[in-house]
Amino acid sequence: MPDFTPSAASLEAAMPVFYQHGLHTATDAQLATALRTTVPDLTAQFADRATLVHHALLADIERQKREHSALYAQYSSAVERLYGLLQLGLRDLALVPSHFYGDLQTDFPRVWDVVTEHFASYSAPQLQQLLNDGIRNRLFRSDINIQLVTKILIEQLNLLLNPRIFPPDRFSPGEVFRSIFLYYIRGICTDEGARIAAEHFARL
């Protein structure tokens, strides 16, 4: 058995290596250095590249959840929280090479299934709760269909990450993100919600 048992925190360090060098072309040596281990221990712990990518992605999802918890502690209103989530998403997108998600979908389909499951089991309920909270506090329009709006937002996210629809050599993911989400969310706000949204929109 290898001496190396990676923690979630150490596995997060693999993601920047994959971003910089590619999911396939990042070397075991580069990954071992990032994870503070040796190549023999790395290859003993992870039978293949797909397994390592899978665990690194799970660790990155947990990192995102921690950041969401910190964001919720900082902001109390649904509009602020939703725009804060968008700001985190834009920041993360700026770090990810344009081809990354296309490569993930094409070359690591089982790992991509983890992403889509995360959208369904975490992101969708999170959005539904925010929409509910916003309606109760008169920040989002009361006549919106929460389930439908949630579905639209999740499908918009899938569109954003689909390289066949938005080829990364033609469209900036960050600009697509802004065009899809920011204007749409501002459109479902009440006047009070739009006032709060405007303050955050200006910073994005």
Side-chain angles (χ1 to χ4, degrees), residues 180-192:
I180 286 177
F181 290 104
L182 301 189
Y183 303 105
Y184 181 84
I185 290 170
R186 190 165 60 174
I188 65 173
C189 287
T190 62
D191 289 344
E192 176 59 20

Side-chain angles (χ1 to χ4, degrees), residues 75 79-87 90 174-189 192-204:
Y75 296 116
V79 171
E80 290 175 306
R81 287 176 172 180
L82 192 48
Y83 270 85
L85 292 175
L86 294 177
Q87 190 168 21
L90 274 171
E175 284 304 307
V176 175
F177 188 99
R178 288 175 61 90
S179 297
I180 286 177
F181 290 104
L182 301 189
Y183 303 105
Y184 181 84
I185 290 170
R186 190 165 60 174
I188 65 173
C189 287
E192 176 59 20
R195 184 189 64 76
I196 297 172
E199 298 174 6
H200 290 267
F201 190 86
R203 296 199 293 266
L204 293 173

Side-chain angles (χ1 to χ4, degrees), residues 6-65:
S7 65
S10 66
L11 280 166
E12 286 175 33
M15 296 306 292
V17 179
F18 287 134
Y19 294 157
Q20 181 178 357
H21 299 286
L23 288 164
H24 283 298
T25 50
T27 66
D28 287 344
Q30 289 166 334
L31 289 161
T33 297
L35 298 180
R36 298 182 180 180
T37 186
T38 64
V39 170
D41 276 350
L42 181 73
T43 55
Q45 184 71 36
F46 300 104
D48 51 39
R49 180 56 57 90
T51 303
L52 175 54
V53 172
H54 181 203
H55 284 279
L57 186 66
L58 288 176
D60 194 59
I61 286 173
E62 291 306 310
R63 185 238 349 137
Q64 293 174 39
K65 290 180 179 179

Side-chain angles (χ1 to χ4, degrees), residues 97-129:
S98 57
H99 57 78
F100 178 83
Y101 287 110
D103 291 347
L104 192 65
Q105 293 173 56
T106 302
D107 299 336
F108 299 90
R110 291 185 180 179
V111 182
W112 179 249
D113 287 343
V114 173
V115 177
T116 56
E117 170 58 25
H118 174 64
F119 291 163
S121 64
Y122 175 80
S123 301
Q126 181 186 44
L127 288 170
Q128 284 186 329
Q129 186 61 55

